[in-house]
Structure formats: structure tokens, C-alpha cells
Amino acid sequence: MKQDFVFWHMLNSLVVTHEYRIIHISPDHKEVWLEGLGNKQAPIIRVYRYDLDWSTWLQRDMEKTAFQVANFRKQLRKSKLSAVNIYVSTYPPVDDWEFRLQEPLEKNKATVNSVVVHEGNLEHSCNRISNLIGKEVKVEVENEDEEALHHLKQIVLDASARAIKKEKELFQFGKPLFTYLFIAVQVIAFFILEMNGGSQNTETLIQYGAKFNPLILEGEWWRFFTPIFLHIGVLHLMLNTLALFYLGTAVERIYGNIRFLFVYLFAGFAGSLASFVFTPSISAGASGAIFGCFGALLFVGIAYPKVFLRTMGMNILVLIGVNLTIGFAIPGIDNAGHIGGLIGGFLAAAIVHLPKHIKPLPRILGLLLAGALTFYMLDYGYNNENPYTQISQAESLLQKGEYDQAYDMLIPLEEQKNEYPEVLFYLSFIDIKKGRINDAESRLVDVTALQPDFHEAHYNLALVYLEMKKTEKALVSIERAIEIEPDGANYENIRSEIIQSLDSE
């Protein structure tokens, strides 16, 4: 009876006081596995109520436990894992046994320290367990009747049940509504684009609200939001729809409908704003808002670090890392928009916070930081000293045919051509319009060297070579443009024209 009290007092200390979570309990309630990933010293604890006899059995059971901990390590995707294995026995084994516990067992990067608690070493073993897990474990046995034991057992089981219920409530606060609405909107928008010139047609994208810096600078602020629902090509749509289906539903269940709506739209806005400030190219897509969902899940890790680490933490961190790495490795991906969306989603989650949380400080800090960043980014984006703003303004002037003004605006930036290769492209366009073919050739050669996947530059270079009667070079350039962008407008027509010119020579 006394050791039964020791067993449940120990579980009470671990579960109620130190908030370990019961992940397995045997039908007879004699073996309990606990998880506390927030405790790096001992994330896994096993407590086993068993009256030991021979130390050979103890050795076999310790090895079996080490094998189970190694399996936990694989499931948790950890490089290594430590565990404490506790036996609560009336008496120690009858033969020599202490040498078996002197060193921890190691198996497949899993380390298991075992402790035998018996009537003769209760204080000493509790001190050892406390040292192993880095937290004080108290066992105070006073009243040893059946009723008291049942009450103690019920306290532990109820605390575990409440923790599990609270965790389930965290992930099931709301039902997805806006996620499905946004999926429907972006699919409908895609078909509208396809029926009106194509989702990969630049003019169509601009007409229907893609992020286009020159028009934003002219006052079309709504282009910070409309790109969230537009996609460039069917693959882009499919990938973002799939990501939104999985991430959006998870975030909406955690935060609820209205909070999710704010998080998603603010993250999309933040992604468009970052893209506006740091990239002059046309862009569209839900990627910034989807990265905002990542940011909202990261905020869960701040509010509930233990639950986050145990459930989704490592997967979310890996996914963010992989997506950002792909963004930096593959040309044409708007990483500024991704990072802006990630930060925006995190700050938006801080502002609305999780349901049933009334702590005002995180909300105030999130609101102040989000407001300050938004103001700074808007001010910098609309500031004429921002090179990307100057490039966008020059692009707007080019569309109006004001070549001299555009040239004067761009020429000071030519010294920074390594950082802003598009400056060379626009200057070469002005050169072509002004009849300076040699200058255009030189600048286009430079820009294709600096940015090899700039298909429009290869196309323009082909036109310049054709004008200069350098037909073979023109063919090489147009074929490179087609290789990069097979669906490029007029690319095949120019190629055919160049081939005909070669055949006639």
C-alpha cells in the first residue's frame, strides 16, 4: 500500500506540479509514460509500479524501455532524446543490482537513466530523480487508506484529462469558413483571368489588380490587397490552393473565423507592401497571406510553447525554412512578399491573440509594432529616395512615352547595376527608342550576364542583334528567351523571322 502511494504521489508531482502530460497509461494503471518536451533534461519519463525480484529482469526491462525511447526520438524527429525510467518497488531485487543503474543506457541516440525507488531509499531516490529532471520531486506519504489513495489517483487523472481537453480546445475553437471562401474566390479569379487574356499575360494581370508599383504610386492603393486572390499560371494556383487548404483550415480552427480573416488579409497586405518596397516587378498570389498563416502558427508557439513543440512545432519550422530556401534559390519568386507575409501574420496574431486570452500587453505591443512597421514601409516605399520607387516611377514614365525624363531618373542608378539590373533593361529600352542601338546592345549584354533568367532582356537583345544584322547572335538570344519562357508573346514569331533571315543569307 505504501509504495502505491509513493507511485501516485510521484505522478502527482510530475503531472500536476510540473505539468508533464500522460501519453500512455496501462489498463491496470501500473505503468505510465509522461511527456514534457519543454524540459530538455528529461522530455520523457516512465514510471512503473512493479515489485522487483531479480536484477536480470530489471536489465531486460531497461533495455526494452531504451528501445521504446529510441522510437519516440524518431517520431519526434529529434537528433537525441533523454528519458528517466523510474521503478517503484516494495523491495529492491534480491541479487546484486545497483551496478546496472550506474551508467545510463544508450540506444540509437536515446539516453535512459533508470532509478529504483523502494522503501529503504525513498529520500535518496527522490533526490536523484530531481537531479535527473532538473525539478524537485516531492513524495510525502501520510494517510495510507484506500479512500485517500483513490482520491490521489483521481487528482492525477483529472489533471491529465483537463490538460488534454484544453489542448483539444486550442485546435478546435472554430470551423473553417473563410478558408473555403478564399479558395473559391481565387479559383474564380483565375478563370476570369484565363477568359480575358490569360493569367500569365502581363496586361491582364495589371488590369485585374496585380501588384504593379507604378500604379500604386499613382494612388491605386487597393493593389496591396487584390494580388492576394490572383495567380500566375495553373501550377501557381494549385500549389497555393493546396497550401491554403491545409494551413488556412488549421489556423482558422485555432483562431476562429474573424481573427483568421484579419490575420489572412493583414498578412496578404504586408506581403504586398514588402514586395512593393523591395521588388519593382509585377507580382500576384496568395503566398504572402499563406506565409502569414505560418506566422500565426509561430505565435501559437509563443503562447503555448509546450503544445507547439509537441504537436506541430518542428514541422512548421522545417516548412518555413524549406519554402524560404526555395524562394532564395529559384529566380522569379517574390521572397520579399513571403517574408513580409510571415512577419505580418505573426504581428496580426499578436494583435488579435488566441481565443479566451485577455492579456492586453501582447496585443498592445503587436499593434504598436505592426503600425510602426506599416508606416515606415509605406513612407519608404513612396519616398523618391528609394531606388525601387525611382525604377517604378521611371517605368510609369516609359509607358507614357516620356523617355527623356525616365532616362534622367534612371541614369544615376546605373552605377548600382549589380544590385538593380532592371535599370540596365529600362535604359536599353530607351536606347532602342532613341536609335542608340550600340548602347542598347552593351546594356542588354550586361543585364543578361547579371540576370541570366531575364527572358525579356534576351528577347530585346535578339531584336537588337536582328537590327544590327547579327543574325546568328539574334537566334541564340531568342532561343534562350524561349527556353526560359516558352509561352512568351511573339517569341516564336521572332525566332521564325530570324531563321528565315539566316536561310536567305
Side-chain angles (χ1 to χ4, degrees):
M1 173 70 75
K2 179 179 179 180
Q3 293 307 91
D4 291 337
F5 269 92
V6 170
F7 176 76
W8 284 102
H9 268 293
M10 194 166 291
L11 287 174
N12 181 68
S13 182
L14 293 167
V15 173
V16 178
T17 305
H18 301 309
E19 297 183 344
Y20 272 83
R21 172 176 172 264
I22 295 176
I23 55 175
H24 171 75
I25 185 167
S26 63
D28 60 1
H29 291 183
K30 297 292 185 182
E31 180 183 14
V32 180
W33 285 81
L34 306 171
E35 180 185 70
L37 296 182
N39 186 332
K40 294 183 179 180
Q41 283 188 231
I44 301 293
I45 298 177
R46 179 210 190 203
V47 188
Y48 191 16
R49 172 68 181 97
Y50 183 80
D51 286 331
L52 301 171
D53 41 27
W54 301 96
S55 67
T56 52
W57 180 93
L58 176 64
Q59 182 67 35
R60 288 195 302 271
D61 190 73
M62 287 164 53
E63 291 173 354
K64 177 178 152 186
T65 301
F67 180 79
Q68 183 63 51
V69 174
N71 284 337
F72 278 137
R73 183 191 68 79
K74 292 178 182 177
Q75 292 171 16
L76 295 170
R77 298 179 183 177
K78 289 187 169 290
S79 58
K80 57 183 180 180
L81 186 65
S82 298
V84 176
N85 179 31
I86 303 169
Y87 298 93
V88 180
S89 174
T90 304
Y91 303 105
V94 295
D95 55 348
D96 191 14
W97 60 276
E98 291 181 320
F99 74 95
R100 299 184 185 277
L101 276 63
Q102 288 178 354
E103 298 293 332
L105 273 178
E106 295 193 13
K107 189 175 187 65
N108 296 330
K109 299 181 180 178
T111 304
V112 180
N113 285 282
S114 294
V115 181
V116 173
V117 182
H118 58 83
E119 289 187 352
N121 75 342
L122 179 58
E123 184 177 351
H124 172 75
S125 58
C126 283
N127 289 335
R128 172 150 172 74
I129 293 168
S130 299
N131 290 331
L132 287 172
I133 71 172
K135 296 179 181 292
E136 186 180 10
V137 174
K138 289 184 178 180
V139 175
E140 298 175 355
V141 181
E142 297 175 356
N143 188 353
E144 297 183 24
D145 61 64
E146 286 284 351
E147 185 177 347
L149 178 62
H150 176 76
H151 180 66
L152 178 61
K153 180 178 177 180
Q154 201 61 46
I155 288 173
V156 174
L157 295 178
D158 287 346
S160 176
R162 284 195 301 272
I164 293 171
K165 182 181 178 182
K166 183 178 179 181
E167 184 175 311
K168 286 182 177 179
E169 287 176 350
L170 173 64
F171 294 101
Q172 297 176 359
F173 179 78
K175 293 182 179 180
L177 171 65
F178 287 110
T179 299
Y180 300 136
L181 177 62
F182 290 144
I183 288 174
V185 169
Q186 65 190 37
V187 170
I188 293 169
F190 178 78
F191 282 109
I192 291 173
L193 292 177
E194 287 296 314
M195 290 186 294
N196 290 275
S199 62
Q200 299 183 66
N201 183 289
T202 301
E203 292 181 1
T204 303
L205 286 167
I206 293 173
Q207 179 185 352
Y208 282 90
K211 189 225 78 176
F212 186 52
N213 288 11
L215 292 181
I216 292 176
L217 290 170
E218 291 180 8
E220 295 187 6
W221 56 267
W222 44 268
R223 289 182 183 270
F224 288 123
F225 294 94
T226 49
I228 303 170
F229 307 103
L230 305 177
H231 289 84
I232 304 171
V234 66
L235 181 61
H236 190 208
L237 173 71
M238 289 175 61
L239 291 174
N240 275 354
T241 299
L242 191 64
L244 177 56
F245 177 77
Y246 286 106
L247 279 173
T249 52
V251 173
E252 194 165 2
R253 284 193 177 99
I254 293 171
Y255 284 87
N257 305 128
I258 302 303
R259 288 180 176 86
F260 170 75
L261 177 65
F262 177 76
V263 168
Y264 191 81
L265 292 179
F266 184 80
F269 162 75
S272 298
L273 178 58
S275 178
F276 165 67
V277 172
F278 296 110
T279 58
S281 57
I282 295 170
S283 65
S287 301
I290 289 168
F291 266 82
C293 293
F294 279 126
L297 293 176
L298 286 179
F299 186 78
V300 175
I302 302 296
Y304 293 100
K306 294 178 182 178
V307 175
F308 181 75
L309 289 172
R310 184 171 63 249
T311 54
M312 66 180 91
M314 187 55 65
N315 291 332
I316 293 299
L317 294 174
V318 169
L319 281 172
I320 292 172
V322 168
N323 279 279
L324 289 177
T325 301
I326 291 172
F328 283 114
I330 300 176
I333 293 180
D334 190 356
N335 241 9
H338 293 175
I339 296 171
L342 181 68
I343 295 171
F346 183 87
L347 292 176
I351 293 169
V352 299
H353 218 296
L354 290 156
K356 300 180 182 179
H357 277 248
I358 57 174
K359 297 178 181 179
L361 184 59
R363 293 185 175 188
I364 293 170
L365 289 175
L367 184 61
L368 290 175
L369 190 54
L373 281 174
T374 300
F375 177 81
Y376 172 77
M377 295 286 280
L378 286 170
D379 180 67
Y380 184 69
Y382 280 96
N383 193 320
N384 288 333
E385 294 181 5
N386 178 1
Y388 288 119
T389 300
Q390 295 176 35
I391 293 169
S392 297
Q393 289 174 337
E395 186 179 357
S396 181
L397 291 171
L398 289 176
Q399 291 177 343
K400 297 174 183 177
E402 297 175 1
Y403 303 124
D404 292 333
Q405 286 180 260
Y407 188 86
D408 291 340
M409 185 172 287
L410 291 169
I411 202 67
L413 296 174
E414 190 170 18
E415 294 179 358
Q416 304 176 60
K417 63 183 180 181
N418 290 339
E419 191 173 354
Y420 309 109
E422 57 270 15
V423 169
L424 293 175
F425 177 75
Y426 291 129
L427 285 172
S428 70
F429 179 80
I430 297 170
D431 289 332
I432 293 171
K433 292 295 184 180
K434 293 291 185 177
R436 300 190 292 262
I437 300 300
N438 290 331
D439 290 342
E441 177 195 10
S442 175
R443 284 179 169 132
L444 285 168
V445 168
D446 283 348
V447 75
T448 53
L450 290 169
Q451 198 168 323
D453 292 327
F454 198 159
H455 62 90
E456 294 96 336
H458 287 284
Y459 172 73
N460 282 6
L461 184 56
L463 295 177
V464 167
Y465 281 142
L466 196 58
E467 178 72 18
M468 300 174 74
K469 309 299 183 186
K470 297 179 180 180
T471 319
E472 291 183 357
K473 287 188 175 182
L475 182 60
V476 172
S477 292
I478 196 62
E479 286 184 341
R480 177 63 179 143
I482 293 171
E483 179 186 347
I484 300 166
E485 184 55 57
D487 298 325
N490 299 320
Y491 287 9
E492 285 291 348
N493 293 338
I494 295 299
R495 182 175 180 273
S496 300
E497 183 182 334
I498 292 170
I499 291 173
Q500 288 177 5
S501 180
L502 280 171
D503 290 340
S504 63
E505 290 180 0

